[in-house]
Amino acid sequence: MAIGAVCMIFFTPIDIRPLSTTNITSAFYGYGGIEMADVRLTPLLKLLLAFILSSTLVPQHNFAIGINGKQAGKYRRITGPLQGDLILSNGKIHTMNEGGDVVSVIGIKDGVIVYVGENQTEALDKFDNAPSVIDLEGHTATPGLIDCHNHIVLLGNRPGYHTPLENAYSIDDVLGTYQSRADEIPQGSFITTIGGFHPNQFSERRLPTLEELDQAVPGHPVFVSYSFAGPATTNSLGKAFFESLAEPPLIGANGSISSGENNGKALLALRKQLTFEDRKRGVHDAMEYAATVGVTTHLDQGGFPATGTPSDGAAHEDLYAMHLPWLSVYDEEAGIIRLRINFLHMDDSIEVSTLQQRLLNTFKFFGNDMLRTGGIGEFVTTDYAGGPFFNEAASRVAKAGWRLEVHSLTGTDFQTQIQAFESVNANNSVEDLRWVIAHVPQITLEYLQRLKKIGGGVNLSGWQYLAGVGPQAGPPFKDILASEIPAGIGADGMQIAPLNPWIHAYYATTGKNALGQQINPGQQISRQELLHLYTRANQWFLGGADEQLLGSLEVGRLGDIVVLNNDYFTIPDEELKELRSILTVVGGSVVYDEGILGS
């Protein structure tokens, strides 16, 4: 049965309109090669259709990447709405191409790079109509960064007016950040920060108090929680709200809220207030924040299934609805970053029923330049380190020809995971599927080689920066690069790690945590190597059409560029954490401009 027929039978109204290659919902929920772009889906329709697609449709595994697309290598490319005409000149533009070229001029036409070199006049010759021209005034620029492992979809679904604190280094910084946020939002609305930071990064090594928050933002309730499940703090308005609940959390006189159940009660109460429009606003905020730190492409790794109880933490969400506000924003052609979506599963039986339906009825690498599905991960079963459920799930993923990503945090889990991969590979080759193990703080050279032999890779993270301790916190960056296994980097933000890539750059190149302690001795890598991980190397983790389009600045690739406030390659180590974008370009369109550069 065609999707259009499914919609007609189950839902009304439907707005029939001309075929469009930018109807992202259609691409995301496409079925069996049938064009779906003539149906306009309401948010409710999207939600119900998602359930239908995950449970009732016939198996489909082989399909075109899209419809009415352009060729990108062997893949069909579906263009997105960001297709600007732009020339950037007078910069130090690190192309991250195979030769490591640094140029001063780059030209982007219809969102695609048409010129890379030194001559603005030659660049202008590539255009039929006059493009916008921006003088970079000698600033350093890089390709738009790719984060191959994060949780930005969760960030977009945060309750309240979420406000990142990963760039604050004192209580005064926190209070100033909140004061600035209060100036932008409606009076009386909740200011929240949920994950992505740690008191270790503040000079005072603590959270702000109720009194300090009252003085900074007297007109707004505040909820500040770190890690997965707190602890947290609030102010007087927040305390009054939480204590009015039928089952209130315990709150100290200074605003403190303990981790676990009390933190969960407060978070659940805030989540119950969320509307779909609130979530869409959160999506816009998450996109805008990502643009300010220069991350233009994100491979999201999902979240834990929500229970709707105080046991839920920062990483829990409704896995069947969390993408819908994002889809709505993209469907309105308002997306300003590129999103790639992995699907997390936590099956706890040998039938692996939710995974099985995903493999039967969802399309991998399906969508357009702005939004595309990915693989399975970063969990597939509850016995994540290996066991009967894990082995069954991995076998089914291999048979379906999907990519799989799992994560490793201990000195033994990667061993059992790779052993399971090898067992699956003996019966169904995974050597071309690019299976991935993430984080790998304690992985060994032996197991790196074993994973490499079956076509796998590892993605790394500086998540230990916030609260990691020595003597060898990992990951072993230097050893991993020496092994020549495919390796990239993902922030794992924003629960137990920052999203800001420059903080991860600091950790990878210095080995120091937020307290300034050396916790990863002998495993530091160079700044060039780190930037390679965040750009060209991360192409491998995207795969498909993206591999030919993102990660380096070359003619024929998409025009995603970040212009930095300082020279990444020459500033002192401590200033790496202060790097940010002053101009972010996606598809030749300026999506963030701090207003420093002239034209």
Side-chain angles (χ1 to χ4, degrees), residues 87 112 147 187 195 226 231 240 260 301 308 406 424 426 445 555 560 574:
I87 288 177
V112 177
D147 187 326
Q187 182 78 3
Y226 67 91
Q301 303 285 343
V406 297
V424 169
L445 290 174
V555 171
D560 296 0
E574 293 302 317

Side-chain angles (χ1 to χ4, degrees), residues 494-505:
M494 296 182 70
Q495 278 74 241
I496 59 170
L499 185 71
N500 186 339
W502 311 109
I503 295 174
H504 293 270

Side-chain angles (χ1 to χ4, degrees), residues 565-583:
N565 64 320
N566 216 326
D567 188 342
Y568 165 74
F569 293 96
T570 62
I571 57 175
D573 288 341
E574 293 302 317
E575 294 182 22
L576 286 171
K577 294 179 285 185
E578 300 173 12
L579 279 176
R580 65 182 188 279
S581 174
I582 57 174
L583 185 79

Side-chain angles (χ1 to χ4, degrees), residues 250-269:
L250 296 176
I251 303 175
N254 65 349
S256 61
I257 302 172
S258 62
S259 61
E261 184 178 11
N262 285 310
N263 181 90
K265 285 181 177 180
L267 181 55
L268 180 62

Side-chain angles (χ1 to χ4, degrees), residues 416-470:
T416 48
Q417 289 165 344
I418 293 172
Q419 290 164 14
F421 287 5
E422 291 170 331
S423 178
V424 169
N425 184 65
N427 298 303
N428 294 280
S429 176
V430 301
E431 292 181 17
D432 294 327
L433 299 182
R434 301 186 182 182
W435 283 15
V436 174
I437 300 184
H439 313 322
V440 293
Q442 298 184 48
I443 198 165
T444 63
L445 290 174
E446 175 194 352
Y447 276 88
L448 284 168
Q449 292 303 321
R450 289 172 66 167
L451 182 59
K452 178 182 176 183
K453 187 176 180 180
I454 58 173
V458 292
N459 73 50
L460 314 175
S461 170
W463 66 278
Q464 296 275 33
Y465 164 79
L466 286 180
V469 296

Side-chain angles (χ1 to χ4, degrees), residues 6-121:
V6 172
C7 295
M8 290 292 187
I9 290 172
F10 288 95
F11 314 112
T12 56
I14 296 177
D15 173 24
I16 305 300
R17 60 178 181 164
L19 183 66
S20 167
T21 60
T22 58
N23 186 332
I24 308 303
T25 303
S26 306
F28 196 82
Y29 291 124
Y31 156 59
I34 295 171
E35 295 178 353
M36 174 60 181
D38 58 339
V39 179
R40 179 60 125 176
L41 304 179
T42 66
L44 177 60
L45 184 57
K46 295 172 187 175
L47 174 59
L48 296 175
L49 184 54
F51 280 113
I52 287 175
L53 288 171
S54 65
S55 60
T56 64
L57 299 182
V58 297
Q60 299 288 337
H61 297 307
N62 298 315
F63 53 89
I65 289 297
I67 52 178
N68 295 346
K70 300 178 181 179
Q71 293 297 126
K74 65 178 180 179
Y75 296 93
R76 299 188 70 202
R77 175 188 164 214
I78 303 298
T79 57
L82 296 184
Q83 301 179 43
D85 292 346
L86 178 68
I87 288 177
L88 301 178
S89 67
N90 190 26
K92 292 185 288 187
I93 304 171
H94 294 258
T95 65
M96 301 308 292
N97 65 7
E98 193 169 345
D101 294 334
V102 180
V103 301
S104 61
V105 179
I106 193 162
I108 305 165
K109 180 181 179 182
D110 296 330
V112 177
I113 297 170
V114 294
Y115 179 84
V116 179
E118 303 294 338
N119 192 307
Q120 184 173 323
T121 301

Side-chain angles (χ1 to χ4, degrees), residues 198 200 441-442 462-475 507 511-515 517-521:
H198 194 283
N200 282 351
Q442 298 184 48
W463 66 278
Q464 296 275 33
Y465 164 79
L466 286 180
V469 296
Q472 203 72 53
Y507 178 72
K512 294 180 180 179
N513 65 10
L515 297 172
Q517 300 165 340
Q518 177 55 252
I519 62 171
N520 204 24

